[in-house]
Amino acid sequence: MTVLPIIVAPDPRLKKTAAAVARVDDDVRRLMEDMVESMHAANGLGLAAPQVGVLKRVIVVDTARGEDTPRPIRMANPDVVWASDKIVTAEEGCLSLPEHYADVARPARVRVRYLDHENEIREMEAEGLLATCIQHEIDHLEGVLFVDHISSLKRHMILRKLQKAKRTQAPVPA
Ligand code: NI
């Protein structure tokens, strides 16, 4: 498995819509495993393929962080088929917006249909942190970041800081 570099906002690659996976084959499985490895290495709760520069509808989540046994969930073509009317607000962060957090309101429970790592159609219902994470990652597949759910004033402030941090970093040799 390979730890992949994660794209940091602002970056046009994070604003694109990802394409559906035709089937979960060895290539997609390898991508899923690399993404799990990259998520764990970055101490994240979730990762979407566009964050590693791959415009495919693949996400991984693992809300077991801090516990002994990692419990990564791998999903291709995840689709929210039901969402609760009840909305909850939770603080979110993102590996593509390091060190920035904001409160985001989303449905408290969702049912998600997806293809697992063996190309089997599965459905799961999620609530709490897992529901938040899955919705956050699915957003990435539409080019939506958590800052797109907050006020434009706060969004621009965060993106400006990230842009400034990029400019002050040493240029990467070609
Ligand atoms: Ni994210």
Side-chain angles (χ1 to χ4, degrees), residues 47-115:
L47 189 65
Q51 292 178 275
V52 293
V54 179
L55 280 177
K56 287 182 181 164
R57 300 187 83 83
V58 174
I59 65 170
V60 296
V61 294
D62 190 347
T63 53
R65 187 173 62 163
E67 294 171 23
D68 289 338
T69 317
R71 281 178 295 150
I73 301 170
R74 305 152 176 87
M75 297 181 172
N77 302 347
D79 192 20
V80 174
V81 292
W82 173 83
S84 65
D85 292 331
K86 188 186 171 196
I87 304 292
V88 289
T89 299
E91 187 178 65
E92 294 188 23
C94 180
L95 293 175
S96 291
L97 297 104
E99 290 166 46
H100 291 279
Y101 303 89
D103 283 340
V104 177
R106 300 183 188 271
R109 294 176 69 92
V110 289
R111 190 177 309 128
V112 184
R113 187 176 298 150
Y114 62 99
L115 291 173

Side-chain angles (χ1 to χ4, degrees), residues 112-124:
V112 184
R113 187 176 298 150
Y114 62 99
L115 291 173
D116 72 5
H117 63 290
E118 289 175 323
N119 199 49
E120 296 290 333
I121 297 173
R122 290 189 181 276
E123 247 181 55
M124 74 174 290

Side-chain angles (χ1 to χ4, degrees), residues 7 12-13 18 22-23 31 67 99 119 129 141 159 163 173:
I7 297 168
R13 290 172 290 177
R23 59 172 285 114
L31 172 65
E67 294 171 23
E99 290 166 46
N119 199 49
L129 180 61
L141 306 180
L159 292 173
Q163 182 70 59

Side-chain angles (χ1 to χ4, degrees), residues 13 16 33-34 42 49 58 66 72 78-79 95 102 104 108 112 117-118 123 137 141 147 154 157-158 160 164 166 171:
R13 290 172 290 177
K16 298 216 158 87
E33 294 318 307
D34 287 349
V58 174
D79 192 20
L95 293 175
V104 177
V112 184
H117 63 290
E118 289 175 323
E123 247 181 55
E137 299 314 327
L141 306 180
V147 290
K154 188 146 193 228
M157 196 179 75
I158 290 174
R160 248 198 326 270
K164 199 174 165 192
K166 277 190 187 189

